[in-house]
Amino acid sequence: MTEDAFSEHRPLLFTIAYEMLGSAADAEDVLQESYLRWSAVDPAEVEHPRAYLVRIVTRQSLNHLRAVKARREEYIGTWLPEPIRTGPAVSEDAILAESVSMALMLVLETLNPTERAVFVLHDVFGYSHGEIAVSVGKTEVTVRQIAHRARQHVHARRRRFEPDSEATREIVQRFLLATSAGEIQALMDLMAPDVVQIADGGGKVTAARRPITGNEEVARFVLGVTRTSVTPDTRIEHATYNGMPAARFLTDGELDWLVAFEIHDGRITGLYAVRNPDKLHRDDAVRPLDRGVR
């Protein structure tokens, strides 16, 4: 009975933890800790299992987020969320696709832990201020104020993008073809003038440590990386990560690096390149995400 309830709501619980932490590995740790706490509860005393489980996961995620804060401040280079492979259902849910996108996850990193929890639970999952107050240990009035402040912060910094689709995959394909042919003008034409390229090597592999801005600058950088890192043995696969079209670069069957593309109004506005092996060499199965819309 206890295990059945946890399994039933696991996709929702994982999604909440991942959006609060930006790491699939940390989210799995939180779910394991949460399951242990749930196992110690008498199910007969719990009227609404899903609400109870969401509270447990929220509290564990907050504890975990506070614990890793210092570690992320010492991160070498630019930190990007751990990418997760997503299926069509995520791309078809506009709110969910945006909420797990690289761009929004980076904005969420600028919030303090409580602001992040309140924003995620209210704006993404639709929980009321009263329900959130119980989860974060604040009054409803305080949660309402936190939600307003967090929403203003996020809306001022969020970037719009188009979820993975046939149209966006075609743009990615054209980008890859132009890259392989070394056509710098074709690359520039596919990107917005203020395109941003962000790479995460975690200090373990070569990667640009600062964002690169501008279509010419990004095009030249991409061509330079292609010349030094892509060999005839490199296999490139199309995939969907975080609701975004992506390209996987594999060497000898191993995922070497991953680029997720942010596309808006038919042009690439952002490239998110993850090269940190710790974020690539985990289970690559499609993650079932769920907003638990009520």
Side-chain angles (χ1 to χ4, degrees):
M1 180 79 170
T2 298
E3 186 173 346
D4 288 346
F6 195 91
S7 298
E8 177 186 352
H9 300 298
R10 198 179 197 286
L12 168 65
L13 302 176
F14 175 83
T15 309
I16 291 173
Y18 175 71
E19 293 201 17
M20 286 184 60
L21 297 166
S23 164
D26 289 345
E28 291 291 358
D29 288 343
V30 161
L31 259 61
Q32 185 174 359
E33 295 163 4
S34 299
Y35 179 73
L36 292 176
R37 282 164 173 74
W38 171 247
S39 298
V41 174
D42 181 357
E45 297 179 0
V46 180
E47 185 176 358
H48 301 291
R50 183 171 73 171
Y52 194 94
L53 285 166
V54 167
R55 285 200 296 272
I56 295 176
V57 167
T58 298
R59 289 169 182 170
Q60 293 304 311
S61 295
L62 278 169
N63 292 339
H64 210 91
L65 192 56
R66 289 166 181 144
V68 301
K69 184 175 174 59
R71 191 172 73 208
R72 290 191 184 170
E73 289 175 350
E74 298 169 357
Y75 197 80
I76 298 174
T78 303
W79 181 92
L80 285 175
E82 181 181 343
I84 53 173
R85 200 162 188 174
T86 53
V90 173
S91 299
E92 292 166 3
D93 183 336
I95 294 176
L96 182 56
E98 181 180 20
S99 70
V100 297
S101 70
M102 291 286 184
L104 188 59
M105 297 282 275
L106 283 176
V107 174
L108 295 182
E109 280 292 308
T110 64
L111 299 174
N112 68 44
T114 303
E115 288 173 337
R116 184 166 186 166
V118 170
F119 179 85
V120 166
L121 290 174
H122 185 269
D123 284 48
V124 179
F125 295 93
Y127 286 93
S128 70
H129 296 117
E131 291 171 311
I132 298 170
V134 176
S135 295
V136 301
K138 303 285 185 183
T139 67
E140 184 173 345
V141 171
T142 300
V143 165
R144 194 179 297 275
Q145 294 170 341
I146 293 172
H148 177 71
R149 183 170 66 244
R151 191 177 305 112
Q152 283 187 317
H153 181 92
V154 171
H155 286 188
R157 293 163 176 79
R158 75 196 315 163
R159 293 165 62 94
R160 297 296 179 186
F161 83 105
E162 298 163 24
D164 185 45
S165 66
E166 287 188 17
T168 57
R169 285 194 292 273
E170 182 184 347
I171 291 171
V172 171
Q173 179 62 20
R174 288 163 57 195
F175 179 91
L176 295 173
L177 289 173
T179 300
S180 64
E183 298 175 354
I184 187 168
Q185 188 59 54
L187 279 178
M188 291 172 60
D189 292 342
L190 287 167
M191 295 185 286
D194 58 349
V195 62
V196 178
Q197 193 270 353
I198 301 175
D200 178 348
K204 300 185 177 184
V205 296
T206 303
R209 294 200 175 182
R210 294 181 180 178
I212 299 170
T213 306
N215 57 358
E216 182 175 356
E217 290 78 5
V218 172
R220 293 188 183 281
F221 177 80
V222 167
L223 292 179
V225 169
T226 301
R227 282 193 294 269
T228 58
S229 302
V230 177
T231 71
D233 295 327
T234 301
R235 187 169 86 251
I236 304 174
E237 297 178 346
H238 291 272
T240 307
Y241 280 80
N242 295 71
M244 309 166 72
R248 292 158 46 87
F249 295 78
L250 299 98
T251 303
D252 296 327
E254 291 288 327
L255 183 58
D256 233 5
W257 44 301
L258 166 77
V259 181
F261 293 81
E262 179 182 85
I263 297 173
H264 183 57
D265 286 341
R267 282 192 168 187
I268 298 168
T269 56
L271 294 91
Y272 301 89
V274 180
R275 302 203 69 184
N276 184 343
D278 291 344
K279 297 182 179 182
L280 295 176
H281 295 164
R282 304 192 203 278
D283 177 18
D284 195 38
V286 173
R287 292 275 185 172
L289 303 184
D290 182 18
R291 279 200 299 129
V293 178
R294 295 173 290 172

